[in-house]
C-alpha cells in the first residue's frame, strides 16, 4: 500500500471540515407570508441559510394544504392521492429559494399536529398510505429538506414519533418549534433519535420560541434539559403583539448574551410577513445572525 501524502490528506479534509463548520451555524427565518408575494430575492441574499415555510396543514384524508396567511391570497391544496397538485408556478417559486444567487441551503415546511394522530392510527404511516405518498410527492416537487412540528395543543407522543419516523423514511429531517411542555419534546427527541449517532439524528433541530407564550424561555436551560443545542427564535418588530417585537439591535443583544452563556446552534426569527409589513430590513436582521453565527 502506498504511503499517504499528509499534504494531500489535509487538502482533501479541509473542505469537508469547513463545510461541517458552516453547516453547524443555523441562520433561520420563518416564512409566514405567501411565498408567491414575499421578497424572495431579499430572503435569499440577506444572510439566512434556512427558511421554514409556515402554514402547511394535513387534511383528514391525508391531503396537504399550503395556507397563504396573506390578504388577497388563496389557500392551495398542494398534494393529493400521492401527487403534487399545487401548480408549476408555486413549485418553481419554492424551488428557486435554494437556486441561483442564494445563501439558502435548507428548506423546511412547518405544520401543527392536526389530523396526524388519526391518520397514523388509520390507515397508518406505511409507504402505500396517502400521508406517506403525499409528503413524498411534496418533497420532490419543492426540494424540501425537513418538516417542522409546531404542535402547540395536541401533544400526542406516539403519533408524533411515528410521524417523524415516517418522514425519515421519505428522506426528510424532523424539527420542532416548542414554546412550552419541555418534557414532551424531550420524549419525542429521545424516542425518534434512539439508536442513532448524533450526526445521524433524525430530529436534528430545535427552534425555540422566545416570544409570546415563550417570552421567558431561557435557551441555555432548554439546551441542558433536551441534551441538544437549540436555535432561539425572536419575533421581529410587529403590530400584532408589539410588546414581543425586537429591533435588529435588540435581537443582537439577546442572542449574544445567550450564546455567551452556552453555545447555541444558531438563531432565527418569526417572521418575514412582519418584516415586509413594517418596512424593516432583511439585511439588518440577517447581518445579526451572520455576525454571531458565521
Amino acid at each position: 500500500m502506498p504511503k499517504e501524502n499528509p499534504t494531500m490528506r489535509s487538502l482533501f479534509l479541509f473542505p469537508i471540515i469547513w463545510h461541517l463548520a458552516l453547516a453547524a451555524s443555523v441562520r433561520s427565518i420563518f416564512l409566514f407570508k405567501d411565498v408567491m408575494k414575499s421578497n424572495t430575492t431579499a430572503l435569499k441574499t440577506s444572510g439566512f441559510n434556512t427558511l421554514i415555510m409556515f402554514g402547511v396543514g394535513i387534511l383528514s384524508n391525508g391531503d396537504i394544504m399550503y395556507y397563504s396567511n396573506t390578504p388577497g391570497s388563496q389557500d392551495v391544496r398542494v398534494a393529493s392521492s400521492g401527487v403534487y397538485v399545487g401548480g408549476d408556478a408555486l413549485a418553481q417559486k419554492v424551488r428557486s429559494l435554494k437556486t441561483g444567487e442564494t445563501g439558502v441551503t435548507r428548506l423546511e415546511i412547518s405544520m401543527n399536529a392536526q389530523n396526524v394522530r388519526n391518520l397514523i392510527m388509520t390507515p397508518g404511516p406505511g409507504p402505500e398510505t396517502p400521508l406517506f405518498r403525499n409528503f413524498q410527492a411534496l418533497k420532490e416537487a419543492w426540494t424540501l429538506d425537513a418538516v417542522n412540528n409546531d404542535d402547540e395543543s395536541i401533544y400526542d407522543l406516539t403519533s408524533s414519533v411515528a410521524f417523524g419516523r415516517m418522514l425519515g423514511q421519505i428522506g426528510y429531517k424532523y424539527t420542532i418549534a416548542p414554546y412550552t411542555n419541555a418534557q414532551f419534546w424531550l420524549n419525542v427527541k429521545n424516542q425518534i433519535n434512539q439508536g442513532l449517532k448524533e450526526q445521524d439524528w433524525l430530529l436534528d433541530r430545535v427552534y425555540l420560541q422566545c416570544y409570546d407564550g415563550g417570552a421567558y424561555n431561557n435557551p441555555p436551560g432548554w439546551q441542558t434539559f433536551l441534551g441538544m443545542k437549540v436555535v432561539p427564535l425572536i419575533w421581529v418588530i410587529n403590530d400584532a403583539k408589539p410588546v414581543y417585537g425586537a429591533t435588529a439591535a435588540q435581537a443582537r443583544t439577546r442572542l449574544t448574551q445567550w450564546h455567551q452563556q452556552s453555545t447555541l446552534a444558531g438563531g432565527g426569527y418569526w417572521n418575514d410577513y412582519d418584516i415586509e409589513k413594517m418596512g424593516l430590513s432583511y439585511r439588518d436582521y440577517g447581518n445579526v445572525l451572520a455576525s454571531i453565527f458565521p
Side-chain angles (χ1 to χ4, degrees), residues 71-238:
S73 294
Q74 293 184 337
D75 300 335
V76 181
R77 191 182 304 259
V78 292
S80 180
S81 301
V83 178
Y84 175 73
V85 295
D88 291 340
L90 179 57
Q92 289 171 8
K93 173 63 75 172
V94 175
R95 289 198 302 267
S96 74
L97 295 170
K98 293 195 295 182
T99 61
E101 183 182 354
T102 184
V104 178
T105 58
R106 176 156 162 156
L107 181 62
E108 306 187 19
I109 52 174
S110 181
M111 52 171 284
N112 59 32
Q114 191 69 33
N115 293 314
V116 171
R117 178 168 49 191
N118 290 343
L119 287 166
I120 289 296
M121 290 178 61
T122 306
E128 299 304 318
T129 62
L131 193 64
F132 186 106
R133 294 173 60 227
N134 286 336
F135 272 93
Q136 188 174 48
L138 189 60
K139 185 181 193 305
E140 181 177 350
W142 284 4
T143 63
L144 297 171
D145 301 292
V147 173
N148 172 255
N149 181 353
D150 184 34
D151 184 2
E152 298 183 359
S153 61
I154 298 175
Y155 298 120
D156 183 74
L157 179 61
T158 300
S159 61
S160 296
V161 171
F163 180 61
R165 289 174 176 166
M166 182 201 79
L167 294 170
Q169 292 177 348
I170 297 171
Y172 288 98
K173 288 292 188 179
Y174 191 54
T175 69
I176 58 177
Y179 79 94
T180 189
N181 208 346
Q183 185 62 56
F184 169 78
W185 295 113
L186 175 63
N187 293 340
V188 172
K189 172 250 180 180
N190 286 344
Q191 290 193 28
I192 284 183
N193 291 335
Q194 186 175 8
L196 300 176
K197 295 181 179 179
E198 185 172 353
Q199 63 266 29
D200 300 321
W201 278 357
L202 173 54
L203 196 164
D204 68 335
R205 291 188 184 180
V206 178
Y207 300 103
L208 179 65
Q209 297 180 43
C210 297
Y211 55 86
D212 204 354
Y216 295 102
N217 277 332
N218 177 36
W222 273 77
Q223 290 193 149
T224 299
F225 186 79
L226 293 178
M228 66 183 295
K229 300 298 182 182
V230 308
V231 180
L233 298 178
I234 293 175
W235 197 347
V236 303
I237 292 294
N238 66 89

Side-chain angles (χ1 to χ4, degrees), residues 33 232 236 244:
K33 188 174 182 178
V236 303
Y244 299 119

Side-chain angles (χ1 to χ4, degrees), residues 25-27 46-48 248-249 251-253 255-256 259 266-267 269 283-294:
S25 297
V26 180
R27 302 186 299 276
S46 296
F48 305 108
R252 179 184 297 277
T253 298
L255 290 168
T256 299
H259 195 44
Y269 301 112
R283 181 70 64 181
D284 288 349
Y285 282 98
N287 283 344
V288 169
L289 300 182
S291 63
I292 302 173
F293 309 107

